[in-house]
Amino acid sequence: QVQLVDSGGGLVQAGGSLRLSCAASGRTFSTYTMGWFRQAPGKEREFVATIMWSGGSTYYADSVKGRFTISRDNAKNTVYLQMNSLKSEDTAVYYCAAKLGRITRLASEYDYWGQGTQVTVSS
């Protein structure tokens, strides 16, 4: 079992940066594939980025590729999402998620979820 706590959201101007963190409990964090998803008001939850348990493979949504970077520190049981060049359309609640096995962009395949952290980008 893994418990996830998201943090790092806030209000930022367009073009600015934020770094989200997701702290995980449990001794087996290093075996989990981790993902970030987001949900804007009135929209469905969408995939943002994912990283394999070893950190060796990452995958991004086209909308964030080149601007966002997912990383993890298994010694600290934490996964990060560095967000640069933020746009108003990045405004959403961001959630981290965990699963065992292969990386995937499908939210339905993730077993554990954080509570979410709000990111608001003002234009």
Side-chain angles (χ1 to χ4, degrees):
Q1 186 111 9
V2 176
Q3 292 184 324
L4 305 174
V5 178
D6 307 321
S7 64
L11 175 64
V12 63
Q13 288 188 334
S17 298
L18 279 175
R19 188 176 80 157
L20 305 183
S21 299
C22 173
S25 65
R27 299 178 180 177
T28 59
F29 171 77
S30 62
T31 65
Y32 282 81
T33 288
M34 301 297 297
W36 284 98
F37 294 79
R38 66 187 182 187
Q39 188 167 17
K43 295 187 177 182
E44 292 188 354
R45 191 169 297 189
E46 66 172 356
F47 167 77
V48 175
T50 183
I51 185 166
M52 200 171 71
W53 64 271
S54 66
S57 292
T58 57
Y59 182 59
Y60 296 91
D62 289 343
S63 59
V64 306
K65 201 173 295 183
R67 299 189 297 123
F68 290 11
T69 302
I70 188 171
S71 61
R72 65 190 298 160
D73 185 337
N74 287 340
K76 296 183 178 180
N77 279 16
T78 303
V79 63
Y80 305 98
L81 185 67
Q82 178 67 44
M83 305 186 296
N84 299 328
S85 303
L86 283 161
K87 305 175 182 180
S88 57
E89 51 262 46
D90 295 319
T91 295
V93 177
Y94 284 71
Y95 300 88
C96 72
K99 67 178 295 291
L100 291 172
R102 66 182 180 92
I103 60 172
T104 176
R105 63 184 298 160
L106 298 177
S108 60
E109 295 196 16
Y110 286 79
D111 299 308
Y112 305 101
W113 292 84
Q115 83 286 0
T117 185
Q118 176 71 47
V119 172
T120 303
V121 183
S122 62
S123 57

